[in-house]
Structure formats: C-alpha cells, structure tokens
C-alpha cells in the first residue's frame, strides 16, 4: 500500500507560531503603542504626516477622515517612518500587516481598504458619529 504524501504545512502559519510572534513585541514597545492608541479618540498610524503623507494609502486615509469631518482636536497621527520599532510593532500589536492603521476609541478599525469600504457604505460615518469625534455642526 502506497503512503499518501501529505503536503508540508508552513510552520510559520501555525497558531503556535503566532503566540511566539506576539511574544516578540517587547513590553516597552507594547506599552508605548498602548499609550499612543489611547492618546486621542482617533489615532492613525501612517507613513508621513497628515500634512505630508509619504504613501498613497496614508494620503487616502487622511482624505477619508477629512471628508468624514473628524475633529482635528480629537485626532492624532503617528509617523511610523520615524521609528522602525513602531513600524514593525504596530503590525504585531494589531495583527494587521499593513500601514496605515486607524484606531477609534482605542479599537482597531482597519487599514485603507477597510476605511474606504466603510466610507462608501456609511458605516464609518456612523461609527465616528457614535464616538462623538466629528466637528460639531454649526447652529443655525
């Protein structure tokens, strides 16, 4: 009887390895990211700054937040290009492989693709309104 050859599984994709990867994020880096995520109601980890985004996805995320009417006083951004530990750490922290990353009220929302989709279906507007982070409408 011939033995069926089983396809080899990539050990790096196993749940056990994910636990090890999480452990790679130093306590100091995790604490710094926790502090950053809690520093404002709306936090964007991006490449560049809101004034000078350094990639198209970061630019698109800033534009979406602007279109939504996010209050600048309730928003902050962190430039991951200034800090390699932050750049790698935020990906492990959120378990999301790309930047930019948006957090609202300390909750991870997603990257540009998620923001774009939520912007188009109206769920981003609803979330931002619920969290009271939009510029107040002028009283008539």
């Amino acid at each position: 009887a011939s033995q069926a050859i089983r396809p080899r599984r990539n050990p790096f994709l196993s749940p056990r390895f994910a636990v090890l990867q999480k452990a790679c994020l130093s306590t100091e880096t995790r604490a710094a990211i926790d502090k950053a995520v809690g520093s404002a109601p709306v936090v964007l980890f991006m490449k560049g700054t809101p004034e000078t985004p350094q990639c198209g996805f970061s630019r698109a995320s800033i534009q979406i937040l602007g279109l939504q009417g996010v209050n600048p006083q309730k928003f902050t951004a962190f430039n991951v290009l200034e800090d390699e530990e932050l750049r790698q750490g935020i990906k492990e922290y959120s378990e999301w492989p790309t930047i930019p990353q948006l957090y609202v009220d300390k909750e991870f929302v997603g990257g540009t693709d998620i923001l774009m989709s939520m912007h188009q279906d109206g769920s981003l507007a609803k979330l931002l309104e619920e969290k009271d982070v939009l510029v107040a409408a002028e009283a008539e």
Side-chain angles (χ1 to χ4, degrees), residues 57-103:
F57 295 109
S58 290
R59 177 175 291 106
S61 294
I62 288 294
Q63 288 173 336
I64 290 168
L65 295 175
L67 288 169
Q68 291 287 338
V70 169
N71 185 336
Q73 294 169 340
K74 295 184 178 185
F75 169 78
T76 193
F78 291 90
N79 181 359
V80 300
L81 298 178
E82 292 176 345
D83 184 343
E84 187 57 33
E85 207 168 323
L86 174 62
R87 186 177 183 171
Q88 293 311 315
I90 193 64
K91 294 175 188 178
E92 290 178 40
Y93 183 89
S94 62
E95 297 178 18
W96 190 260
T98 59
I99 293 165
Q101 294 185 7
L102 180 71
Y103 288 78

Side-chain angles (χ1 to χ4, degrees), residues 1-139:
S2 66
Q3 184 91 25
I5 297 174
R6 285 195 339 213
R8 297 185 91 190
R9 287 195 25 204
N10 181 341
F12 296 115
L13 299 178
S14 79
R16 269 189 269 160
F17 189 74
V19 170
L20 290 175
Q21 276 184 314
K22 261 193 205 143
C24 291
L25 189 57
S26 74
T27 309
E28 297 80 29
T29 302
R30 184 173 293 281
I33 293 172
D34 279 338
K35 187 176 176 184
V37 165
S39 66
V42 180
V43 178
L44 184 68
F45 293 89
M46 63 180 292
K47 293 177 181 173
T49 64
E51 300 75 28
T52 56
Q54 297 296 306
C55 84
F57 295 109
S58 290
R59 177 175 291 106
S61 294
I62 288 294
Q63 288 173 336
I64 290 168
L65 295 175
L67 288 169
Q68 291 287 338
V70 169
N71 185 336
Q73 294 169 340
K74 295 184 178 185
F75 169 78
T76 193
F78 291 90
N79 181 359
V80 300
L81 298 178
E82 292 176 345
D83 184 343
E84 187 57 33
E85 207 168 323
L86 174 62
R87 186 177 183 171
Q88 293 311 315
I90 193 64
K91 294 175 188 178
E92 290 178 40
Y93 183 89
S94 62
E95 297 178 18
W96 190 260
T98 59
I99 293 165
Q101 294 185 7
L102 180 71
Y103 288 78
V104 176
D105 210 12
K106 299 181 188 172
E107 294 283 325
F108 176 63
V109 177
T112 306
D113 52 345
I114 305 285
L115 285 186
M116 191 79 71
S117 165
M118 289 178 74
H119 174 64
Q120 290 168 343
D121 72 14
S123 58
L124 185 60
K126 189 170 185 266
L127 171 71
L128 297 171
E129 193 175 331
E130 284 170 4
K131 299 298 183 180
D132 193 30
V133 296
L134 301 175
V135 173
E138 303 264 327

